[in-house]
Amino acid sequence: VDAGPGDDDALDRSLARLGVREIETLVVTHPDLDHVGGAPRVVRRLPVDRIVGPGLLRGTVALEALARAAANRGVPWSVVSPGSYWESGDVRFQVLHAGGSSAAPNDHSVVLHVAWGAFDALLTGDISSAVEDELPLRIDPGTRFEALKVAHHGSRTSSSERFLDHVAPEVAVVSVGRGNRFGHPAPAVVHRFEVRGIPLARTDHHGSIRIRGARDGSFRIDTEFGDLAATTR
Protein backbone atom coordinates (compact mmCIF):
# COMPACT_ATOMS: atom_id res chain seq x y z
CA VAL A 1 0.00 0.00 0.00
CA ASP A 2 1.76 3.13 -1.35
CA ALA A 3 5.50 3.33 -1.94
CA GLY A 4 6.97 6.45 -0.37
CA PRO A 5 8.25 9.61 -2.02
CA GLY A 6 11.47 8.74 -3.82
CA ASP A 7 12.96 6.76 -6.67
CA ASP A 8 15.79 5.29 -4.58
CA ASP A 9 16.68 1.89 -3.21
CA ALA A 10 15.26 2.33 0.31
CA LEU A 11 12.05 0.47 -0.51
CA ASP A 12 14.02 -2.14 -2.47
CA ARG A 13 16.05 -2.90 0.66
CA SER A 14 12.95 -3.10 2.84
CA LEU A 15 11.18 -5.51 0.50
CA ALA A 16 14.32 -7.62 0.20
CA ARG A 17 14.57 -7.89 4.00
CA LEU A 18 10.98 -9.13 4.05
CA GLY A 19 11.68 -11.65 1.30
CA VAL A 20 9.19 -10.02 -1.09
CA ARG A 21 9.90 -11.05 -4.67
CA GLU A 22 6.47 -10.51 -6.20
CA ILE A 23 3.54 -8.20 -5.46
CA GLU A 24 0.06 -9.48 -6.11
CA THR A 25 -1.68 -6.11 -5.61
CA LEU A 26 -0.10 -2.66 -5.40
CA VAL A 27 -2.53 -0.15 -3.87
CA VAL A 28 -1.98 3.51 -4.73
CA THR A 29 -4.17 5.34 -2.25
CA HIS A 30 -3.99 8.74 -4.02
CA PRO A 31 -1.62 10.69 -6.30
CA ASP A 32 0.48 12.69 -3.82
CA LEU A 33 4.22 12.33 -4.39
CA ASP A 34 4.94 11.09 -0.87
CA HIS A 35 2.67 8.10 -1.51
CA VAL A 36 3.27 7.29 -5.18
CA GLY A 37 6.84 8.49 -5.76
CA GLY A 38 8.48 5.09 -5.31
CA ALA A 39 5.79 3.09 -7.10
CA PRO A 40 7.20 3.36 -10.67
CA ARG A 41 10.48 1.83 -9.46
CA VAL A 42 8.60 -1.01 -7.77
CA VAL A 43 6.75 -1.83 -10.99
CA ARG A 44 9.95 -1.67 -13.03
CA ARG A 45 11.92 -3.93 -10.65
CA LEU A 46 9.42 -6.48 -9.36
CA PRO A 47 6.65 -8.58 -10.89
CA VAL A 48 3.37 -6.83 -10.03
CA ASP A 49 0.10 -8.57 -10.88
CA ARG A 50 -2.10 -5.48 -10.72
CA ILE A 51 -2.45 -1.92 -9.45
CA VAL A 52 -5.59 -0.56 -7.80
CA GLY A 53 -6.48 3.01 -6.91
CA PRO A 54 -9.33 5.46 -6.47
CA GLY A 55 -9.52 6.57 -10.09
CA LEU A 56 -8.01 10.00 -9.51
CA LEU A 57 -5.40 10.01 -12.27
CA ARG A 58 -4.46 13.67 -12.23
CA GLY A 59 -1.69 14.78 -9.95
CA THR A 60 2.02 14.23 -9.71
CA VAL A 61 4.58 13.47 -12.37
CA ALA A 62 5.29 10.27 -10.41
CA LEU A 63 1.73 9.10 -11.03
CA GLU A 64 2.21 9.61 -14.75
CA ALA A 65 5.50 7.69 -14.52
CA LEU A 66 3.67 4.86 -12.76
CA ALA A 67 1.07 4.75 -15.53
CA ARG A 68 3.85 4.49 -18.13
CA ALA A 69 5.69 1.80 -16.19
CA ALA A 70 2.48 -0.21 -15.78
CA ALA A 71 1.73 0.06 -19.49
CA ASN A 72 5.27 -1.00 -20.42
CA ARG A 73 5.11 -4.03 -18.12
CA GLY A 74 1.53 -4.93 -19.02
CA VAL A 75 0.27 -4.42 -15.46
CA PRO A 76 -3.50 -3.84 -15.35
CA TRP A 77 -4.83 -0.87 -13.35
CA SER A 78 -8.24 -1.14 -11.68
CA VAL A 79 -10.41 1.50 -10.02
CA VAL A 80 -11.88 0.48 -6.67
CA SER A 81 -14.82 1.92 -4.77
CA PRO A 82 -16.48 1.37 -1.38
CA GLY A 83 -17.52 -2.28 -1.18
CA SER A 84 -14.75 -3.55 -3.43
CA TYR A 85 -12.76 -6.40 -1.91
CA TRP A 86 -10.25 -9.09 -2.73
CA GLU A 87 -8.62 -11.95 -0.88
CA SER A 88 -5.12 -13.34 -0.69
CA GLY A 89 -5.25 -16.72 0.94
CA ASP A 90 -7.16 -16.16 4.18
CA VAL A 91 -6.51 -12.40 4.25
CA ARG A 92 -9.38 -10.18 3.13
CA PHE A 93 -8.97 -6.61 1.88
CA GLN A 94 -12.17 -4.56 2.04
CA VAL A 95 -12.35 -1.06 0.54
CA LEU A 96 -14.23 1.25 2.91
CA HIS A 97 -13.64 4.45 0.94
CA ALA A 98 -12.15 5.50 -2.39
CA GLY A 99 -12.74 8.43 -4.71
CA GLY A 100 -15.88 10.45 -4.16
CA SER A 101 -16.98 13.97 -4.97
CA SER A 102 -14.44 15.85 -2.85
CA ALA A 103 -12.08 18.12 -4.75
CA ALA A 104 -9.31 17.41 -2.22
CA PRO A 105 -6.99 14.65 -3.47
CA ASN A 106 -6.37 13.45 0.09
CA ASP A 107 -10.04 12.65 0.57
CA HIS A 108 -9.97 10.40 -2.51
CA SER A 109 -7.64 8.07 -0.62
CA VAL A 110 -8.31 4.35 -0.68
CA VAL A 111 -9.14 3.20 2.87
CA LEU A 112 -8.61 -0.51 3.53
CA HIS A 113 -9.86 -2.84 6.23
CA VAL A 114 -7.42 -5.76 6.30
CA ALA A 115 -8.68 -8.83 8.16
CA TRP A 116 -7.07 -12.16 8.95
CA GLY A 117 -9.07 -14.24 11.38
CA ALA A 118 -9.53 -12.10 14.49
CA PHE A 119 -6.76 -9.67 13.51
CA ASP A 120 -8.02 -6.42 11.94
CA ALA A 121 -6.06 -3.44 10.65
CA LEU A 122 -7.31 -0.15 9.22
CA LEU A 123 -5.19 1.68 6.62
CA THR A 124 -6.44 5.21 6.06
CA GLY A 125 -4.28 6.95 3.45
CA ASP A 126 -4.47 10.73 3.87
CA ILE A 127 -8.19 11.14 4.58
CA SER A 128 -9.48 14.02 6.69
CA SER A 129 -11.94 13.81 9.56
CA ALA A 130 -14.77 14.48 7.09
CA VAL A 131 -14.18 11.03 5.57
CA GLU A 132 -13.25 9.42 8.88
CA ASP A 133 -16.69 10.28 10.25
CA GLU A 134 -18.31 8.31 7.40
CA LEU A 135 -16.33 5.13 8.04
CA PRO A 136 -18.24 3.78 11.07
CA LEU A 137 -21.25 3.29 8.81
CA ARG A 138 -19.14 0.99 6.60
CA ILE A 139 -17.46 -1.04 9.33
CA ASP A 140 -19.20 -4.20 10.52
CA PRO A 141 -20.59 -3.71 14.04
CA GLY A 142 -18.48 -5.39 16.68
CA THR A 143 -15.23 -5.16 14.71
CA ARG A 144 -12.24 -4.60 16.98
CA PHE A 145 -9.19 -3.12 15.32
CA GLU A 146 -5.83 -4.19 16.57
CA ALA A 147 -3.88 -1.76 14.37
CA LEU A 148 -4.54 1.65 12.82
CA LYS A 149 -2.38 3.42 10.23
CA VAL A 150 -2.87 7.04 11.30
CA ALA A 151 -4.36 9.20 8.55
CA HIS A 152 -2.37 11.96 6.84
CA HIS A 153 0.82 11.49 8.86
CA GLY A 154 -0.86 12.70 12.03
CA SER A 155 -2.18 15.94 10.56
CA ARG A 156 -4.49 17.99 12.79
CA THR A 157 -7.22 17.57 10.13
CA SER A 158 -7.45 13.84 10.84
CA SER A 159 -7.73 11.38 13.75
CA SER A 160 -10.82 13.05 15.20
CA GLU A 161 -11.97 12.16 18.70
CA ARG A 162 -15.20 10.67 17.35
CA PHE A 163 -13.30 8.46 14.92
CA LEU A 164 -10.79 7.23 17.50
CA ASP A 165 -13.54 6.47 20.00
CA HIS A 166 -15.32 4.32 17.43
CA VAL A 167 -12.31 2.48 16.02
CA ALA A 168 -10.48 2.22 19.38
CA PRO A 169 -7.36 0.50 18.02
CA GLU A 170 -4.98 -1.41 20.26
CA VAL A 171 -2.03 0.35 18.64
CA ALA A 172 -1.48 3.05 16.01
CA VAL A 173 1.35 3.73 13.59
CA VAL A 174 2.14 7.08 12.00
CA SER A 175 4.41 7.35 8.96
CA VAL A 176 6.21 10.67 9.26
CA GLY A 177 9.58 12.16 8.33
CA ARG A 178 11.95 13.29 11.04
CA GLY A 179 11.90 17.08 11.41
CA ASN A 180 9.30 17.44 8.66
CA ARG A 181 8.32 21.01 7.79
CA PHE A 182 4.61 20.36 8.47
CA GLY A 183 5.15 19.57 12.13
CA HIS A 184 3.50 16.15 11.79
CA PRO A 185 2.25 14.55 13.87
CA ALA A 186 0.35 17.47 15.34
CA PRO A 187 0.65 17.72 19.15
CA ALA A 188 -3.14 17.75 19.48
CA VAL A 189 -3.35 14.47 17.57
CA VAL A 190 -0.63 12.87 19.67
CA HIS A 191 -2.58 13.96 22.76
CA ARG A 192 -5.76 12.28 21.49
CA PHE A 193 -3.94 8.95 21.37
CA GLU A 194 -2.25 9.50 24.72
CA VAL A 195 -5.45 10.24 26.64
CA ARG A 196 -7.01 7.08 25.22
CA GLY A 197 -4.03 4.95 26.17
CA ILE A 198 -3.34 3.99 22.55
CA PRO A 199 0.40 3.40 21.95
CA LEU A 200 1.60 5.50 19.01
CA ALA A 201 4.55 4.17 17.04
CA ARG A 202 6.24 6.84 14.91
CA THR A 203 8.68 6.31 12.07
CA ASP A 204 10.49 9.56 12.96
CA HIS A 205 11.22 8.21 16.45
CA HIS A 206 11.25 4.45 15.95
CA GLY A 207 12.40 3.90 12.37
CA SER A 208 10.83 1.06 10.41
CA ILE A 209 7.91 -0.52 12.24
CA ARG A 210 6.61 -4.04 11.76
CA ILE A 211 3.34 -5.34 13.19
CA ARG A 212 3.05 -9.12 13.17
CA GLY A 213 -0.59 -10.14 13.46
CA ALA A 214 -1.88 -13.62 14.20
CA ARG A 215 -5.16 -15.28 13.32
CA ASP A 216 -6.29 -15.25 16.96
CA GLY A 217 -6.03 -11.45 17.10
CA SER A 218 -2.75 -11.32 18.99
CA PHE A 219 0.05 -9.23 17.57
CA ARG A 220 3.60 -8.05 18.14
CA ILE A 221 5.31 -4.77 17.27
CA ASP A 222 9.00 -4.58 16.38
CA THR A 223 10.80 -1.33 15.64
CA GLU A 224 14.07 -0.60 13.89
CA PHE A 225 15.54 1.50 16.67
CA GLY A 226 14.24 -0.66 19.48
CA ASP A 227 13.11 2.22 21.66
CA LEU A 228 9.44 1.29 21.59
CA ALA A 229 8.78 -1.66 23.87
CA ALA A 230 7.72 -4.72 21.90
CA THR A 231 4.00 -5.15 22.46
CA THR A 232 1.93 -8.29 22.49
CA ARG A 233 -1.71 -8.95 23.18
Side-chain angles (χ1 to χ4, degrees), residues 85-94 113-117 119 215:
Y85 73 93
W86 64 92
E87 295 177 345
S88 179
D90 294 331
V91 182
R92 181 181 176 91
F93 300 82
Q94 178 81 37
H113 174 188
V114 182
W116 184 44
F119 179 82
R215 189 189 295 273

Side-chain angles (χ1 to χ4, degrees), residues 20-27 42 46-52 75-76 86-89 93:
V20 176
R21 298 180 176 85
E22 178 181 0
I23 294 175
E24 289 83 2
T25 301
L26 171 60
V27 181
V42 171
L46 286 177
V48 176
D49 291 347
R50 69 170 185 152
I51 301 169
V52 303
V75 180
W86 64 92
E87 295 177 345
S88 179
F93 300 82

Side-chain angles (χ1 to χ4, degrees), residues 187-211:
V189 170
V190 173
H191 180 69
R192 289 173 206 158
F193 286 97
E194 288 176 343
V195 298
R196 288 165 176 78
I198 302 170
L200 183 64
R202 301 170 46 162
T203 56
D204 59 339
H205 288 176
H206 307 117
S208 297
I209 299 162
R210 182 186 296 186
I211 298 178

